[in-house]
Amino acid sequence: MTAVVSPPADLAEPRVRRRVARTLIPLRRVGLRARLTISFALGGALLSLVLSLIAWGLTRENLLTQKEDAAVSRVVTNAVTVRNGLSPTADIEQLLGSLPTPAGSQPVIEYKGDWHAKNAVAFGEQALPSELQATVIGGDAAVFRYVYDGEPYLAVGVPIPSQDAAYFEGVSLIEVQDALDGLVISLLGASVLTTFAGGLLGFWASRRVLEPLTDVGRAATAIAGGELNVRLEEEGDADLDPIITSFNEMAETLEQRLERDARFASEVSHELRSPLMTLAASVEVLENSRDELPERAQTALDLLKADVDRFQTLVEDLLEISRIDVGAVKLFPEEVFLPEIVIQAVSAAGTGPVPVIYEDDASEVVVRVDKRRFGRIVANLLDNARKYAGGATAVRIEVVPADDEGPERAHVVVEDEGAGVPVDERQLVFGRFSRGSESGNRASDTGVGLGLALVDEHVKLHGGRVWVEDRADGRAGARFVVELPVVPE
Amino acid sequence: MGTRILTVEDDERIRTAVRMALEDEGWTVEEAENGEEALETFNRHPTDVVLIDIMLPGVDGFEVCRSIRRNSDVPIVMVTARADTHDVVAGLEAGADDYLTKPFAPKELSARIRALLRRVRTTDPGISHLKFGELEIVPEEGLVLLHGEEVHLTKTEFRLLVELASSPGRVFSREVLLERVWGYGYFGDGRLVDVHIRRLRTKIEADAANPRHVVTVRGLGYKLQT
């Protein structure tokens, strides 16, 4: 539909078009449904990731701040205890042991240049960042976060200048780390779930969105198939109804235009009938007194008569075809024995005697046809053979038993011994105003090329098909095959 | 005096050309260019055959057909635009005996007219007085009686009834009736038979919807019930 309303592509600025094309084509290859699903999933993933990051960041800050606050206030208290307890004779190890420190907390004391730790091997002077040591010994309290021995640590240091000492405490953050790791896993799980849910939502939403499009597609297919009166029902949806309305308007315009074209063809041929009537009757009056005319006038009369006949056939064919185009053709089908009607049609065609050949199995075959139109089908095929192939050599009736391609059917075959029809022209010969092979003998051609088109239309109206093929016996010539459904016994 | 034909056609050129073609057949042709003129001409001096174009200005062909039919059984051929419209059936129901579609060959028209002129009332003496219940056929006098009273049939309706009565109980296919009554070959229009049978029934059946004499044999044709 977009293609119909958009301006011609050559009006667009080429550079822009190229760029747009380059970015759109890979996406276009994926269906709208898949694109929507992917978009929803990506959106879900992105949203949940952002939310997870924020949640993780906030939780981390929160946990760390708590830990830090607790550590700082404890360290300050402990530092007071250490200041009071320190003396050159004091047992520093005992002092360290008496400090109230929770599990994972490592007290370290620097006293007059010597380091004392509760657990000097695991966490002593070496475990404290030198920068922290320098800052604290320099006289300022400090808090540091760092990694030691693969574990995150928080270290708080308070200088005790009155004693020429400093008190440090290292607190393992491994618990916080574990908690955060757990949180990351939970958040990742939630993100995956959200992505999946987003995808599902996209799939569902796209179905909702595409449902009307499916209807539009179905309607368009029906219209293309000739059901021009197909329309979509308004859904009462503010977003969809404009599309539905414009689709219906398009269908309406199309129907009207086709109708107008067909009506025009029909009216033109109707208008031609009155002058033709006068021509035909006048030519006949002249014919009746042909003998009284001079020879030259007789020749002129023959020319006139031949072309009036041809004109008449053309107008009749045009009328019939335009009737078919507007769907105004009404068949009067009757069930008849096929050989009987073929023999009648061949003799009524007036193209001279042609043998009708069939086996016993065909003699009882019944078809459902409009006799007058069946007569035209046979007459036009015989006429075609007369014009292009020196006349039909035989009309064969063949029965095709039920097989994979369909139920039992009958073939009426008009054979000739002309040049045959080249493979690439076998479709074209059934087109309107097509004159068949360029190489064919058309020196005396009086055809106008509607005959086979009419055969095609009439056979279709009878639920059959027609095609042309080579002769089965390998000789030059064509076989025009009309396939009709057989009425079961 | 020879056979006289009235042609009703509003196009002057067609009328003239058709008149000349029919005159070449040895017939006398009266012309009318509209319905009113046609009825006036016909009532003043009835012709042997009437040819009516359905599309006429003013009083249309159907109406002319019905008006003539009210007091005449003259053979009527109508000219329609197409064979597959309702016009054909409507024309036949208005009383036409046969139809042609425009443009037709004058030779075809002459053939139709000759077939209609052959449809005379009386038949060969091979068929004598026939009686089917309250229905009586007196072929030699061209009479059909229902409850002893004469029924007015057109020549075509009469021929149709006599044809069926020639072999009571035998089923006649549409093709056979078309050939015997209308003189058509295999490709005649079966609606000619159907509409005339319908018209015949309204005249000779007590209840045309449930015919007792002329009955339909589904898929085969018609027969006269004995």
Side-chain angles (χ1 to χ4, degrees):
Chain A
M1 275 191 314
T2 331
V4 176
V5 292
S6 64
D10 54 349
L11 289 183
E13 210 267 292
R15 196 174 53 83
V16 174
R17 205 174 73 225
R18 249 200 320 277
R19 203 172 56 214
V20 168
R22 206 177 299 136
T23 49
L24 281 185
I25 282 170
L27 263 181
R28 281 276 156 85
R29 291 220 182 100
V30 184
L32 178 59
R33 188 154 195 185
R35 270 185 283 153
L36 270 175
T37 307
I38 292 170
S39 306
F40 269 72
L42 283 178
L46 198 68
L47 191 67
S48 56
L49 270 177
V50 168
L51 286 177
S52 298
L53 273 176
I54 293 171
W56 182 80
L58 284 176
T59 311
R60 180 172 176 273
E61 260 333 284
N62 209 357
L63 284 176
L64 286 176
T65 314
Q66 269 181 19
K67 201 85 180 176
E68 208 172 285
D69 287 353
V72 168
S73 67
R74 196 175 60 239
V75 167
V76 169
T77 315
N78 284 349
V80 173
T81 313
V82 168
R83 188 189 65 195
N84 294 339
L86 272 182
S87 64
T89 58
D91 182 351
I92 294 174
E93 307 305 321
Q94 198 191 348
L95 180 65
L96 278 169
S98 71
L99 289 173
T101 49
S105 181
Q106 307 280 359
V108 178
I109 294 170
E110 186 267 348
Y111 184 55
K112 295 188 195 297
D114 292 328
W115 291 85
H116 309 271
K118 192 178 183 179
N119 192 353
V121 182
F123 197 96
E125 176 198 2
Q126 80 284 358
L128 294 171
S130 49
E131 201 183 334
L132 172 72
Q133 293 178 17
T135 313
V136 176
I137 292 168
D140 290 318
V143 179
F144 260 65
R145 247 184 253 161
Y146 65 100
V147 174
Y148 169 65
D149 200 14
E151 260 182 56
Y153 272 91
L154 173 73
V156 186
V158 182
I160 310 172
S162 56
Q163 295 276 19
D164 186 16
Y167 176 71
F168 296 90
E169 211 171 286
V171 183
S172 171
L173 292 177
I174 192 76
E175 278 167 48
V176 176
Q177 180 73 54
D178 286 350
L180 284 175
D181 284 353
L183 182 67
V184 165
I185 289 168
S186 313
L187 287 175
L188 270 179
S191 293
V192 169
L193 276 178
T194 312
T195 307
F196 188 67
L200 271 182
L201 185 70
F203 190 72
W204 176 79
S206 64
R207 208 165 72 184
R208 283 295 308 275
V209 169
L210 286 177
E211 222 161 0
L213 271 185
T214 314
D215 290 346
V216 170
R218 222 177 283 132
T221 310
I223 289 174
E227 289 175 61
L228 293 174
N229 54 352
V230 169
R231 296 290 180 274
L232 290 169
E233 254 176 67
E234 301 240 335
E235 309 225 336
D237 184 313
D239 296 318
L240 287 177
D241 281 352
I243 298 176
I244 292 174
T245 309
S246 47
F247 180 88
N248 284 346
E249 278 170 6
M250 179 199 71
E252 186 75 31
T253 314
L254 190 67
E255 189 182 7
Q256 281 173 1
R257 182 174 297 177
L258 284 177
E259 253 178 28
R260 206 169 51 225
D261 287 355
R263 222 181 311 128
F264 176 71
S266 166
E267 277 163 13
V268 166
S269 20
H270 267 270
E271 285 302 313
L272 289 174
R273 287 176 323 153
S274 290
L276 246 180
M277 188 69 246
T278 313
L279 282 174
S282 303
V283 166
E284 207 175 292
V285 172
L286 283 173
E287 273 278 303
N288 290 335
S289 46
R290 191 172 195 276
D291 297 342
E292 298 159 29
L293 296 174
E295 202 176 318
R296 280 175 67 83
Q298 284 186 6
T299 309
L301 176 60
D302 291 344
L303 291 174
L304 184 62
K305 183 169 168 44
D307 264 12
V308 166
D309 285 351
R310 174 172 148 187
F311 193 19
Q312 190 150 350
T313 310
L314 172 59
V315 168
E316 271 165 24
D317 287 355
L318 264 177
L319 270 170
E320 183 77 3
I321 268 200
S322 63
R323 241 173 267 156
I324 291 170
D325 286 349
V326 280
V329 162
K330 232 167 84 188
L331 292 183
F332 298 105
E334 291 175 60
E335 292 186 1
V336 288
F337 288 116
L338 187 58
E340 194 177 328
I341 195 171
V342 171
I343 291 167
Q344 295 283 353
V346 169
S347 75
T351 41
V354 179
V356 177
I357 301 165
Y358 58 97
E359 304 289 327
D360 281 348
D361 65 340
S363 57
E364 296 283 290
V365 165
V366 174
V367 290
R368 204 172 144 72
V369 295
D370 179 317
K371 289 197 293 186
R372 193 172 62 85
R373 292 195 164 94
F374 185 81
R376 284 304 296 277
I377 291 172
V378 172
N380 285 2
L381 287 177
L382 291 174
D383 198 43
N384 179 69
R386 183 179 60 77
K387 279 179 199 154
Y388 299 109
T393 51
V395 176
R396 293 179 192 277
I397 302 169
E398 296 162 359
V399 181
V400 183
D403 56 19
D404 298 345
E405 285 173 41
E408 189 183 26
R409 50 210 185 270
H411 288 175
V412 177
V413 186
V414 175
E415 277 186 354
D416 63 53
E417 288 181 355
V421 180
V423 174
D424 54 346
E425 284 178 18
R426 290 184 183 174
Q427 291 274 332
L428 296 176
V429 293
F430 294 102
R432 294 176 187 186
F433 295 110
S434 100
R435 279 165 175 264
S437 171
E438 286 299 322
S439 54
N441 170 26
R442 295 195 286 113
S444 60
D445 174 27
T446 53
V448 280
L450 268 181
L452 290 180
L454 207 54
V455 167
D456 187 43
E457 298 283 359
H458 276 158
V459 172
K460 275 188 201 144
L461 285 176
H462 282 89
R465 58 202 180 101
V466 61
W467 68 88
V468 59
E469 58 189 28
D470 286 326
R471 284 178 65 109
D473 55 13
R475 282 153 72 181
R479 277 163 59 92
F480 281 83
V481 185
V482 173
E483 181 177 271
L484 292 173
V486 167
V487 178
E489 283 171 45
Chain B
M1 197 170 165
T3 302
R4 292 174 64 252
I5 298 167
L6 172 63
T7 64
V8 192
E9 162 68 62
D10 62 319
D11 186 316
E12 192 199 334
R13 286 183 295 270
I14 295 179
R15 211 166 58 230
T16 309
V18 168
R19 172 174 57 74
M20 292 198 293
L22 293 178
E23 280 171 351
D24 281 350
E25 298 284 336
W27 296 319
T28 307
V29 179
E30 301 281 342
E31 294 178 25
E33 64 173 309
N34 56 49
E36 292 86 346
E37 197 187 322
L39 289 173
E40 202 187 301
T41 310
F42 187 80
N43 290 334
R44 202 172 51 230
H45 191 171
T47 53
D48 302 293
V49 177
V50 180
L51 176 71
I52 306 172
D53 192 321
I54 291 302
M55 309 251 262
L56 287 176
V59 179
D60 70 16
F62 301 115
E63 192 48 47
V64 176
C65 204
R66 270 190 292 270
S67 299
I68 292 177
R69 259 299 162 259
R70 269 196 277 277
N71 34 41
S72 169
D73 63 359
V74 62
I76 299 175
V77 181
M78 56 163 191
V79 179
T80 64
R82 323 167 173 169
D84 65 350
T85 57
H86 188 67
D87 281 5
V88 171
V89 173
L92 293 172
E93 277 172 348
D97 295 275
D98 206 343
Y99 74 91
L100 286 169
T101 51
K102 219 187 214 172
F104 53 85
K107 285 249 183 295
E108 183 62 25
L109 172 62
S110 315
R112 300 283 103 225
I113 290 174
R114 270 194 291 275
L116 284 168
L117 290 171
R118 273 200 301 273
R119 236 167 278 169
V120 287
R121 280 251 172 185
T122 52
T123 46
D124 60 85
I127 306 161
S128 56
H129 193 139
L130 293 165
K131 196 165 160 58
F132 306 92
E134 73 279 14
L135 183 70
E136 279 178 78
I137 306 172
V138 195
E140 56 270 34
E141 288 176 41
L143 267 183
V144 174
L145 305 174
L146 190 64
H147 298 294
E149 280 184 42
E150 190 186 344
V151 184
H152 292 282
L153 296 183
T154 66
K155 291 190 170 79
T156 304
E157 288 155 3
F158 182 81
R159 283 295 321 169
L160 198 53
L161 181 59
V162 168
E163 209 53 65
L164 290 168
S166 66
S167 296
R170 179 194 146 182
V171 181
F172 288 83
S173 68
R174 288 182 179 79
E175 284 77 38
V176 167
L177 292 171
L178 275 170
E179 194 191 328
R180 299 225 184 138
V181 179
W182 280 268
Y184 275 103
Y186 197 80
F187 292 95
D189 187 342
R191 289 175 300 171
L192 279 173
V193 180
D194 296 344
V195 175
H196 277 90
I197 291 278
R198 220 148 59 212
R199 289 173 53 81
L200 183 60
R201 280 174 178 159
T202 61
K203 294 181 179 177
I204 62 164
E205 300 281 357
D207 178 5
N210 295 297
R212 287 184 44 234
H213 300 300
V214 180
V215 296
T216 308
V217 183
R218 268 202 65 166
L220 294 175
Y222 298 98
K223 68 172 182 180
L224 192 73
Q225 194 101 291
T226 47

